[in-house]
Structures are given as C-alpha cells and as structure tokens.
Amino acid sequence: MSKQRIGVLTGGGDCPGLNAVIRGIVKSAANRFGYEVIGIFDGYRGMLEGNFTILTSDKVSGILTQGGTILGTDNKTNPFGVVEHVNGERQVVDKSDACVDFYNDLGLDALIAIGGDGTLTIAGKLAEKGLNVVGVPKTIDNDLMETDITFGFDSARTTATEAIDKLHTTAQSHHRVMLVEVMGRNAGWLALESGIAGGGDIILLPEFPYHIDEVVAAIRKRHRFGKKFSIVVVSEGTYPEGGHQVYRKIVEEDTSAPARLGGVSNVVADQIEEKLGIETRVTILGHLQRGGTPTPFDRLLATQFAIRAVELVDERKFNHMVALQGNKMVPVPIEKVMGKQRNVPKDHYLLKVALSVGTSLGVPMEKVVNEQVGT
Ligand code: F6P
C-alpha cells in the first residue's frame, strides 16, 4: 500500500500556537504512522492556487515557540464564494470544485484544517463534497462550540492581562480613566477573563450591551471612595443598549466576515470625559494580541490537538473536530461547530466572580444577577 498523505492548512486570523500544531502533526504523522504531510500555503487560497510544500520533520524543527504560521494564512478566501470583478461588476463565484481537484490530484487521504468557525465551516462543506476532513480549533476569541477552549486564547489572554497591568500604574499616577479595548469579535471571553485577571474596574462585553450611565456611576463611586483612577476593559464587540457595534471598516472581498470591529472604546471614552470631566485615554491592543510566542498552556494544548487529529486520521474518523471537554480530547462532528459561535453564557460563573470583587459590567447589577438565576 502506498504511503498515506495528509494535507494541512491554517485558515482565518493567525494566533500563537499554530506552528505548534503544524509541528505536532508532522512529527506524529512521521514518527507514529509513517504518513507524509503536505503543507498548503495561505489557507484555502493555497488549494485554489495549487500552492503547497512537503513538510518533513526537519522543516518543522524549532517552530514550537514561534508565533504566526509557517504556512501563512488567509481570512478572506471562501472557495464557496470567491469575490471576483468581471468587467467592473462584482460577482461571487463557487470555486469549491477546484479544492476537490487539488485534493484528488495530490492524492490526499485527509485534510487537517486548523482554524476558527469560518475555516471549519468551509472544511465541513468540503466534507459534504467527499473530502476526508479533520478540524483543529484555533482562535484568540475562544468562541468555538463544543470545545472548552481553543488554542491561542491563553496567549492572547496573557497579552491582554499584561497590558492591563501596565496601564494600571500609569492610570494611577495620572488619576486618569484608562480604557483598554481587546479583541474577541462578538464574544466577550477575552475581555472578561483578562479583565478579571487584570483587576479591571469595569468590563464591557458584547453579551451585555452597556448603559453609559452605569459606566459613569461606577467611576464616580470609585472617586467617592478615594480611587481617582479607573480601568475599563472593553470588548471590541460591545455596544450600547439600543445601539450598534462600531466598525473600523467593511471589507468587500470578505464574504464570511466583512465587518472589521474596532473603536468602540473611543466612543465610550468621549462620553466618560464629557459626563465626568475626568481625563480619559484609550489603548486599542489590536493585533498585538495575535502575536508573540505561545504560552506553555497553548503549546501543550496545540500539541495535544495535533496528536489527536492525526490519530483521528489513522482511525479514519473523518469530518470531526478535536475538542477539549473536561480533561479529555474528544472528536466532535464538525457540523456541530459549523456556522455557530460560543458566547459567554448569561449565567456563566465568571460573571458572578467579576461582580463579587466589585467589578461593574456596565449594566444595572440586577440585570446580570437576574440573568444568572434565569429570570
Ligand atoms: O478572530 C480573531 C480576530 O483577531 C478577532 O478577534 C478580530 O475581530 C479579527 O480577528 C480581526 O481580523 P483582522 O486581522 O482581519 O483585522
């Protein structure tokens, strides 16, 4: 029998730990199963353009600690809806057959897709077209269904927490309100967890549209008790009650997630300054949260995901994503993840933790407490 061949690609926004997964896949495929691994460049774009390389253990040596992805990534190409401009007219074309041809021409036995909801949704649709697919859950947003945590999240949480720590001292020295805007798209995990870890005074989440009067009241109360500075951790996806999210821009060629969030903290800061007359400053962490070396937690998680993904190929358990549930690595059907997002549940225990240490969530306390008991 000829050697089995696995294709691997990284899709969507990058994050620390991608290289650790690639390394784990290549090494375990070679060491345990004698499989060959083909690395596909720039996510699904590489499948459409036929851009790939053979990955040997040598090529992945030394990448465990490196951020980014040696394969490159792309968060715009959806083979099921490629945006083209023909004679000045915008068209959305289904090119997914080219991915199937790529897979067959290379004689792949399986495709391991490392990515978030967009990448895994496309993987699931390719599985419907007959490809043997295994998914690995990546994202700093931690918003994938069926897994307790995605790799990349812990590294981003660490970066955000360190930033909050640094802003604390300057906020204190200057008696200022400091807002720090973190990523996370429509999920508040990054803001909630870095906010608690960094001792944020107010945390604004997409799951709880904020009331500016509550934000102002929380800062005023701190002042009354002698705390002349405040730290507000703002999730980029939050918005005022009855209002809407703030977009940095809309990306026309991206059919799956055209809206790029960013800048809501400027809106909140202006309102705080206007209502309280306290000097207020904004730091938007942006892509810093996606860079740097993965934390030990993410290296471990990424390596475990990688090993389990190759085992699934060996077991011929296709069209599943590897997931961490409790302390177990389990396969979950990829359709359970496709097109869905895992938000912070309204009764999540960390909300109670935040409130218990006196952190405001920018909404009337009763609102959160009532949500917690399901009323
Ligand atoms: O999904 C990861 C993420 O970093 C989000 O937190 C953020 O909203 C988005 O990607 C930013 O995307 P881009 O790199 O295209 O600006």
Side-chain angles (χ1 to χ4, degrees):
M1 222 176 100
S2 64
K3 220 179 193 184
Q4 293 231 33
R5 222 174 221 195
I6 307 174
V8 57
L9 62 80
T10 52
D14 71 339
C15 73
L18 283 163
N19 282 326
V21 178
I22 296 168
R23 168 183 175 271
I25 289 170
V26 174
K27 292 206 172 204
S28 69
N31 294 340
R32 283 178 62 193
F33 304 106
Y35 296 162
E36 188 172 52
V37 180
I38 303 291
I40 301 162
F41 289 117
D42 302 329
Y44 294 107
R45 181 143 58 90
M47 288 186 96
L48 295 179
E49 294 173 357
N51 197 3
F52 66 92
T53 185
I54 295 174
L55 288 176
T56 56
S57 290
D58 257 14
K59 284 198 183 158
V60 297
S61 177
I63 67 170
L64 173 66
T65 59
Q66 282 174 21
T69 160
I70 58 163
L71 290 176
T73 187
D74 175 270
N75 64 354
K76 291 190 204 58
T77 309
N78 173 1
F80 291 87
V82 177
V83 176
E84 284 183 343
H85 292 273
V86 184
N87 299 330
E89 211 179 288
R90 184 179 186 270
Q91 294 180 356
V92 181
V93 189
D94 183 349
K95 296 203 167 179
S96 56
D97 283 346
C99 293
V100 178
D101 292 344
F102 174 89
Y103 181 96
N104 290 331
D105 291 349
L106 279 184
L108 296 181
D109 297 286
L111 171 71
I112 300 182
I114 310 167
D117 57 344
T119 305
L120 298 180
T121 299
I122 293 167
K125 287 165 86 173
L126 289 173
E128 286 162 11
K129 290 183 85 111
L131 271 53
N132 294 330
V133 164
V134 171
V136 177
K138 162 239 74 166
T139 165
I140 65 162
D141 304 335
N142 202 26
D143 62 350
L144 275 177
M145 297 298 284
E146 300 292 326
T147 187
D148 294 349
I149 191 162
T150 54
F151 76 87
F153 175 67
D154 183 60
S155 303
R157 180 174 57 186
T158 302
T159 298
T161 305
E162 286 171 2
I164 296 167
D165 290 349
K166 287 179 178 162
L167 288 170
H168 242 113
T169 51
T170 175
Q172 198 160 14
S173 309
H174 286 268
H175 317 295
R176 284 173 172 160
V177 177
M178 297 296 248
L179 279 76
V180 52
E181 182 172 314
V182 303
M183 284 184 164
R185 282 205 294 177
N186 301 315
W189 296 107
L190 203 45
L192 180 62
E193 299 200 12
S194 63
I196 294 174
D201 305 302
I202 300 162
I203 302 175
L204 305 183
L205 307 173
E207 290 83 355
F208 290 94
Y210 65 86
H211 298 211
I212 194 66
D213 291 343
E214 288 294 328
V215 175
V216 166
I219 297 169
R220 197 176 274 135
K221 187 170 166 200
R222 281 178 56 77
H223 265 242
R224 266 206 308 279
F225 286 94
K227 299 279 188 190
K228 301 283 182 225
F229 74 97
S230 293
I231 300 286
V232 189
V233 182
V234 184
S235 179
E236 64 176 358
T238 195
Y239 54 97
E241 178 78 41
H244 51 78
Q245 289 180 319
V246 176
Y247 300 131
R248 198 164 32 84
K249 67 173 171 184
I250 308 282
V251 185
E252 200 200 31
E253 67 271 32
D254 188 342
T255 49
S256 51
R260 297 282 186 268
L261 289 163
V264 63
S265 49
N266 288 315
V267 177
V268 180
D270 286 349
Q271 288 180 302
I272 292 172
E273 218 163 42
E274 190 191 304
K275 287 178 187 281
L276 287 176
I278 303 173
E279 203 175 2
T280 303
R281 296 294 167 93
V282 169
T283 303
I284 299 179
L285 292 185
H287 292 83
L288 276 178
Q289 296 158 101
R290 296 233 300 254
T293 185
T295 57
F297 179 92
D298 269 339
R299 294 179 203 181
L300 267 167
L301 183 64
T303 305
Q304 289 176 81
F305 277 148
I307 287 7
R308 193 70 191 104
V310 179
E311 284 173 354
L312 291 189
V313 173
D314 184 61
E315 292 160 19
R316 302 198 64 75
K317 196 166 182 64
F318 297 121
N319 311 336
H320 281 69
M321 178 191 86
V322 290
L324 184 72
Q325 293 182 354
N327 58 4
K328 289 203 169 60
M329 282 283 151
V330 297
V332 295
I334 210 156
E335 71 253 21
K336 287 194 164 185
V337 179
M338 289 168 70
K340 298 190 183 127
Q341 268 175 28
R342 190 174 72 98
N343 290 94
V344 177
K346 296 273 166 80
D347 60 352
H348 197 272
Y349 75 98
L350 280 179
L351 298 169
K352 201 189 305 176
V353 169
L355 293 176
S356 304
V357 293
T359 299
S360 162
L361 294 173
V363 295
M365 180 97 147
E366 322 79 69
K367 195 163 159 102
V368 188
V369 175
N370 287 345
E371 301 272 18
Q372 299 242 340
V373 292
T375 52

